[in-house]
Amino acid sequence: MANPRHIAVLGSGYVGLTVAAGLAFMRHEVVCADIAESKVSELSSGVVSIVEDGLTELIREMAASGRLHFTCSNVEAVENAEFVFLCLPTPRARDGSPDLSATVAVAQEIAPHLASHSVVVNKSTVPLGTAHRVRDIVNRPDVEVVSNPEFLSEGSAVLDFLQPDRIVIGSDSRDTGYRVAELYGDPDEHHCIVTDTLSAELMKYASNAYLATRVTFINTMAELCEAVGADIRAVASGMGADQRIGSAFLDPGPGWGGSCFPKDTEALIRIGESAGCDVSLVETVVHANAHHTERIVEKVNDAVGGNLTHKVVGVWGLAFKAGTNDLRSSPALSILTSLQQRGAQIRAYDPTADGVLLGIDVVETMEEACAGADVLLVTTEWPEFSRADLSSVAKLMARRSIVDARNIINVEGAQRAGFDYVGVGIDARSPGAVVDSRSDSSPGYL
Ligand code: UGA
């Protein structure tokens, strides 16, 4: 366990809240600040609007322990803090580069109030050189600024923070880097990488762009599977069994989205351009991703016979992935917008979204989404969708047709219930014996 320290966390989005609650769990005294008064008063009374496994419980537990407090004042938060974590939004500016205005404004605001010999720790995904830029804004010889990129994923944020694969700290001073590393416990017991600030900042973009590339690669292989009559489940299973490749991030789908991959791949392209490097590989990945999202629209169009006008599309899933209520850059929303533009009527269900959204009729149950539908489109991999009783669903629909953009529906089960099934990279004519392997650890028949 780490030596308890006084820590301020500025910003209470996904990252800020997880970092604040996680550091309090590690026995630090944490004050978490946000400029939105209503959010702070909600958080102070234990109300968390973000859907994130275990986060609400952890925040409540840490608040009850007296180690986690909330405030609207950045200045109040930093005055006694030995470490100040910046967890501020860096949205995409019009030119695709990250907008650093929140970070710059907060650095200017807190500079005169920072405790002597404190360390400012940047957690957000920021342009290269931001640690030095913040250091120049703070302009205090007794205060250091380091980069400590966060690698947590939405849906598993708490676990990712408490059990990270690695802790990366970019610092001009090795000693300061290790002071920050010690906040997470004994650096010898973690995979700590202490490096320079530019390398730490670039590592975050490189990791996200690489993961996005893997997903695009498997989506491209899925398209190829459809063209040649192979099955992506077998191909991905064989690829993933190679330890040099590994099985994570090889699930084909409707293209990647969310608040990070689209923003960070664009930012990496800008970084490459301004450094005079050929980053056309990343440009190709971004372009191919849009193609894979559009391919789902074509599958739905084909499923209803080639004309979407007045066709009812029942949709399961709006969030960009399961485990979150985040709709930012969700492929589901792009697909639904395209379908509407082509005349389809949408009726969508998501366990975490309700009401009317961008002109989409959002209903309260999976069954309501299917009532009278010409096709069922599955866009998010919520586990409850794969457990649905398809025989009952079939009775509600005008036509028995499923486009499964996540490959989570049991193909034989769907066919037994009378559905025409279309997945991504799956040959629905031979849904069963995809992988016949003798190894005990293999997935066997899929
Ligand atoms: C991503 C990274 O995974 C985190 O490490 C990083 O910290 C975070 O961005 C960030 O920069 O803050 P996240 O955006 O929460 O996390 O989502 P991912 O789980 O990475 O998924 C991204 C997209 O890829 C989603 O649309 C997801 O559905 C898609 N995906 C992922 C697939 O289509 N197939 C896969 O096999 C994996």
Side-chain angles (χ1 to χ4, degrees):
M1 211 38 96
N3 285 332
R5 301 287 186 192
H6 285 93
I7 295 176
V9 176
L10 308 186
S12 65
Y14 273 99
V15 173
L17 283 179
T18 311
V19 168
L23 289 170
F25 183 78
M26 293 168 185
R27 310 210 72 75
H28 300 295
E29 297 288 333
V30 182
V31 180
C32 182
D34 199 286
I35 48 169
E37 283 182 28
S38 56
K39 198 168 179 185
V40 169
S41 81
E42 276 181 6
L43 287 165
S44 303
S45 52
V47 177
V48 182
S49 58
I50 294 170
V51 173
E52 187 60 57
D53 199 18
L55 185 58
T56 302
E57 294 79 357
L58 188 63
I59 287 173
R60 288 180 185 164
E61 202 184 309
M62 291 304 108
S65 75
R67 293 199 300 276
L68 176 60
H69 299 273
F70 295 95
T71 174
C72 299
S73 165
N74 289 331
V75 169
E76 186 190 309
V78 304
E79 271 169 346
N80 293 315
E82 297 160 88
F83 298 87
V84 175
F85 280 73
L86 303 182
C87 301
L88 300 161
T90 52
R92 242 185 304 188
R94 278 215 190 104
D95 65 353
S97 64
D99 176 355
L100 254 197
S101 49
T103 304
V104 169
V106 169
Q108 286 166 340
E109 181 193 3
I110 61 173
H113 304 280
L114 289 164
S116 180
H117 302 293
S118 57
V119 181
V120 175
V121 183
N122 184 52
K123 271 268 162 210
S124 320
T125 307
V126 288
L128 302 195
T130 297
H132 288 163
R133 191 166 167 202
V134 171
R135 180 196 62 193
D136 293 344
I137 293 169
V138 168
N139 196 19
R140 294 245 319 244
D142 60 329
V143 172
E144 300 214 47
V145 179
V146 308
S147 166
N148 173 208
E150 183 49 58
F151 295 97
L152 59 82
S153 290
E154 292 182 25
S156 56
V158 173
L159 205 63
D160 291 342
F161 184 78
L162 296 178
Q163 294 170 16
D165 288 345
R166 77 294 208 191
I167 294 164
V168 174
I169 294 145
S171 173
D172 292 337
S173 137
R174 216 177 140 73
D175 286 351
T176 307
Y178 278 102
R179 264 177 78 198
V180 175
E182 280 163 10
L183 294 176
Y184 297 94
D186 182 348
D188 292 332
E189 287 173 17
H190 295 290
H191 188 172
C192 274
I193 299 165
V194 176
T195 181
D196 63 280
T197 56
L198 284 176
S199 302
E201 287 165 350
L202 183 57
M203 208 181 297
K204 177 62 194 271
Y205 285 115
S207 300
N208 274 0
Y210 177 74
L211 290 170
T213 303
R214 266 178 86 99
V215 175
T216 295
F217 183 86
I218 206 69
N219 281 335
T220 303
M221 291 305 108
E223 185 171 4
L224 189 55
C225 281
E226 288 170 21
V228 302
D231 195 304
I232 194 62
R233 295 169 299 175
V235 174
S237 157
M239 286 173 63
D242 184 330
Q243 287 186 13
R244 294 168 303 172
I245 297 175
S247 58
F249 274 69
L250 289 184
D251 293 327
W256 40 261
S259 63
C260 305
F261 283 9
K263 167 174 75 72
D264 294 350
T265 44
E266 285 289 342
L268 193 54
I269 292 167
R270 299 284 162 272
I271 291 167
E273 281 171 355
S274 56
C277 285
D278 178 359
V279 282
S280 53
L281 172 68
V282 188
E283 284 170 342
T284 303
V285 168
V286 171
H287 183 72
N289 188 53
H291 163 71
H292 290 127
T293 304
E294 192 55 31
R295 242 164 57 75
I296 304 299
V297 176
E298 292 308 326
K299 283 173 185 281
V300 177
N301 184 58
D302 292 349
V304 298
N307 183 357
L308 282 158
T309 311
H310 301 312
K311 294 293 187 321
V312 178
V313 182
V315 177
W316 285 354
L318 293 167
F320 83 96
K321 65 173 184 179
T324 177
N325 58 346
D326 199 341
L327 300 175
R328 286 176 289 177
S329 298
S330 172
L333 297 189
S334 323
I335 292 165
L336 301 195
T337 304
S338 285
L339 291 171
Q340 278 181 319
Q341 283 164 354
R342 289 162 74 163
Q345 190 190 326
I346 308 294
R347 202 170 300 137
Y349 167 76
D350 188 285
T352 61
D354 53 18
V356 176
L357 188 83
L358 298 170
I360 296 164
D361 189 9
V362 182
V363 296
E364 286 183 6
T365 63
M366 288 159 65
E367 290 75 19
E368 265 182 87
C370 298
D374 295 288
V375 57
L376 170 60
L377 168 63
V378 182
T379 32
T380 310
E381 73 282 23
W382 289 104
E384 63 198 88
F385 299 160
S386 56
R387 293 193 298 260
D389 174 2
L390 293 176
S391 318
S392 310
V393 170
K395 291 180 192 135
L396 302 170
M397 294 183 56
R399 285 186 64 251
R400 296 180 180 190
S401 178
I402 292 183
V403 174
D404 178 8
R406 293 285 186 170
N407 289 355
I408 57 162
I409 302 292
N410 179 286
V411 184
E412 285 174 310
Q415 291 176 335
R416 267 198 310 276
F419 280 98
D420 285 332
Y421 174 91
V422 175
V424 180
I426 291 178
D427 183 355
R429 288 164 303 180
S430 55
V434 177
V435 179
D436 183 9
S437 165
R438 300 291 160 92
S439 157
D440 285 349
S441 58
S442 82
Y445 284 79
L446 296 176

